[in-house]
């Protein structure tokens, strides 16, 4: 009888594979050749000897599709941009940079996307006045700040990575109803002309949601959903117009951030069944504080308020990938081996929201390893065989 050997470049053993799209949640091994998943199999089901040039023993861990962060800041623009080469520590294998760049600068910064080892998509900031530094008020000269011809040019040249326009509205960003409506009208014009999605940072605007939501088309993204002053009416209930918008395809994004997540608002909305369509963290260097906007911490926060692990995983992998370019996610043969290994620490865990409120959950999620195109980018697991 022949001596049968399967020896992979990388073998991940003994982990619980969870892929919500395929409905997989069981102990499986994963064999990787070069950048691709070659085999996903239950232990003992392949004939012959199984080995790997490199082996990760994932006993007690969950092996999931590589996390996709639909709202991050990794390009220049913010003082506290998160470094791309640290993404792996957060379990992230692809992301959208959410408006750190504008039409004034994107041509010259595109090379950073090309040089990154992972897929990065980007939204352009609507206003080119102040990038996202905040020292010059946005929208002081709205018509001059929005260069539609330049934005169109950029989408024609860089359409392989640009996915939308980032808009800021709120009491501090677009003070007053008149300016808020003017900004939204301008943003709608730009997105319709370019043919792209609109991603709107909403932070306690001076115009209530029922007057704003008609600016949103299916596929547009309502960001920072659970900030105060956004989706609850005077009775503490989710506006019916928000429900109607969700039904017609507007995407409600949690976009946790360091300032934009109220557990009180989220609990009220979750109790009604108004869950986020996508879960993101608004990643910046501020995320080095483990109580703020780490994606896995925020996944635990959403579980603390009633979502299942499969629910949060779907909204941090397949959903953001669905409106990105060049991203494949999943745990199946033939696709890029982008995987995240997570530890789910079960038991009482205290979370703190952006307003200092403490609340308890039962699951704390910690990244233990990140695989990108078959390469081990981050690994805290000691395996000696």
């Amino acid at each position: 009888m022949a001596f049968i050997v399967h020896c992979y470049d990388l073998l991940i053993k003994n982990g619980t594979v969870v892929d919500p799209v395929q409905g997989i949640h069981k102990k499986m091994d994963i064999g990787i050749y070069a950048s691709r998943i070659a085999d996903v199999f239950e232990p003992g089901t392949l004939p012959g000897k199984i080995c790997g040039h490199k082996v990760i023993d994932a006993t007690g861990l969950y092996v999931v599709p590589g996390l996709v962060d639909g709202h991050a800041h990794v390009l220049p623009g913010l003082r506290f941009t998160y470094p791309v080469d640290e993404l792996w520590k957060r379990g992230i294998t692809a992301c959208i940079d959410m408006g750190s760049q504008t039409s004034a600068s994107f041509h010259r910064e595109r090379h950073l996307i090309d040089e990154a080892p992972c897929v990065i998509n980007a939204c352009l900031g609507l206003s080119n006045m102040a990038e996202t530094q905040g020292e010059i008020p946005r929208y002081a000269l709205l018509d001059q700040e929005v260069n539609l011809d330049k934005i169109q040019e950029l989408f024609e040249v860089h359409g392989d990575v640009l996915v939308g326009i980032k808009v800021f509205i709120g009491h501090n960003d677009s003070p007053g109803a008149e300016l808020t409506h003017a900004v939204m009208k301008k943003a709608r014009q730009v997105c319709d002309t370019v043919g792209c999605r609109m991603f709107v940072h909403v932070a306690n605007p001076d115009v209530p949601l029922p007057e704003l939501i008609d600016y949103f088309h299916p596929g547009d993204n309502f960001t920072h959903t659970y900030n105060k002053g956004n989706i609850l009416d005077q009775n503490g209930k989710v506006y019916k117009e928000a429900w109607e918008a969700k039904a017609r395809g507007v995407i409600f994004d949690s976009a946790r951030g360091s300032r934009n997540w109220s557990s009180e608002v989220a609990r009220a909305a979750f109790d009604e069944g108004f869950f986020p369509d996508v879960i993101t963290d608004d990643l910046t260097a501020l995320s080095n504080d483990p109580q703020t906007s780490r994606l896995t911490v925020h996944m635990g926060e959403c579980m603390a308020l009633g979502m299942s692990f499969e629910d949060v995983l779907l909204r941090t992998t397949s959903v953001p990938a669905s409106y990105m370019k060049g991203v494949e996610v999943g745990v199946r043969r033939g696709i890029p081996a982008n995987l995240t290994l997570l530890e789910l620490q079960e038991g009482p865990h205290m979370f703190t929201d952006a307003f200092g409120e403490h609340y308890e959950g039962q699951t704390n999620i910690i990244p233990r390893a990140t695989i990108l195109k078959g390469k081990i980018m981050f690994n805290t697991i000691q395996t000696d065989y």
Side-chain angles (χ1 to χ4, degrees), residues 29-303:
D29 295 345
I30 300 171
I32 296 167
Y33 285 124
S35 64
R36 300 260 160 180
I37 296 174
D39 289 306
V40 183
F41 55 96
E42 294 185 52
T45 59
L46 283 187
K49 189 75 173 176
I50 309 298
C51 62
H53 296 151
K54 295 182 179 180
V55 178
I56 296 177
D57 184 353
T59 298
L61 303 178
Y62 290 82
V63 185
V64 304
L67 301 183
V68 178
D69 193 345
H71 187 139
H73 293 280
V74 295
L75 298 178
L78 286 172
R79 297 182 183 83
F80 40 91
T81 292
Y82 196 84
V84 171
D85 59 2
E86 295 282 303
L87 286 173
W88 334 122
K89 293 181 180 179
R90 304 291 178 250
I92 296 166
T93 60
C95 69
I96 301 176
D97 184 89
M98 192 53 65
S100 302
Q101 288 289 304
T102 74
S103 62
S105 53
F106 189 79
H107 269 320
R108 292 193 177 275
E109 302 296 353
R110 161 66 197 258
H111 71 95
L112 297 172
I113 292 177
D114 295 335
E115 294 162 4
C118 66
V119 174
I120 298 175
N121 288 181
C123 290
L124 288 181
L126 177 68
S127 166
N128 64 20
M129 178 64 76
E131 301 268 325
T132 54
Q133 293 289 352
E135 293 180 355
I136 303 172
R138 296 183 194 91
Y139 314 137
L141 299 168
L142 182 60
D143 288 336
Q144 291 93 321
E145 293 174 40
V146 181
N147 187 331
L148 179 55
D149 291 339
K150 186 67 172 180
I151 292 172
Q152 283 185 284
E153 173 194 320
L154 286 164
F155 271 84
E156 290 169 2
V157 174
H158 305 289
D160 60 322
V161 297
L162 290 176
V163 294
I165 296 294
K166 171 69 177 293
V167 188
F168 287 85
I169 63 166
H171 181 72
N172 295 320
D173 294 293
S174 60
E178 182 178 356
L179 179 57
T180 298
H181 280 293
V183 170
M184 292 302 296
K185 288 176 182 176
K186 179 66 72 173
R188 184 73 269 156
Q189 176 198 8
V190 170
C191 292
D192 288 347
T193 302
V194 172
C196 69
R197 297 172 188 262
M198 183 170 66
F199 294 74
V200 186
H201 163 112
V202 186
N204 192 20
D206 292 331
V207 176
L209 182 143
E211 296 180 29
L212 285 174
I213 203 64
D214 284 346
Y215 291 109
F216 290 76
H217 289 181
D220 290 339
N221 186 298
F222 187 107
T223 297
H224 306 308
T225 298
Y226 305 99
N227 202 348
K228 292 184 177 182
N230 281 1
I231 61 166
L232 300 184
D233 63 20
Q234 65 272 23
N235 298 315
K237 299 293 184 182
V238 176
Y239 282 110
K240 67 178 180 61
E241 290 84 356
W243 283 105
E244 292 165 356
K246 181 186 277 277
R248 61 183 168 84
V250 175
I251 297 169
F252 287 85
D253 182 357
S254 63
R256 201 274 190 208
S258 61
R259 300 177 297 166
N260 296 296
W261 168 258
S262 164
S263 57
E264 179 185 6
V265 172
R267 188 182 300 278
F270 282 28
D271 284 349
E272 290 187 50
F274 197 91
F275 299 109
D277 299 300
V278 62
I279 293 172
T280 69
D281 58 355
D282 193 2
L283 182 70
T284 68
L286 295 172
S287 306
N288 286 324
D289 175 355
Q291 290 296 334
T292 58
S293 49
R294 294 186 182 184
L295 186 56
T296 50
V297 173
H298 187 40
M299 292 166 70
E301 289 182 310
C302 290
M303 290 177 67

Side-chain angles (χ1 to χ4, degrees), residues 19 22 37 64-66 317-318 328-332 335-339:
D19 185 339
Q22 297 188 83
I37 296 174
V64 304
T317 54
S318 296
E328 285 187 272
V329 299
V331 187
R332 65 183 187 276
I335 70 169
N338 300 326
L339 302 166

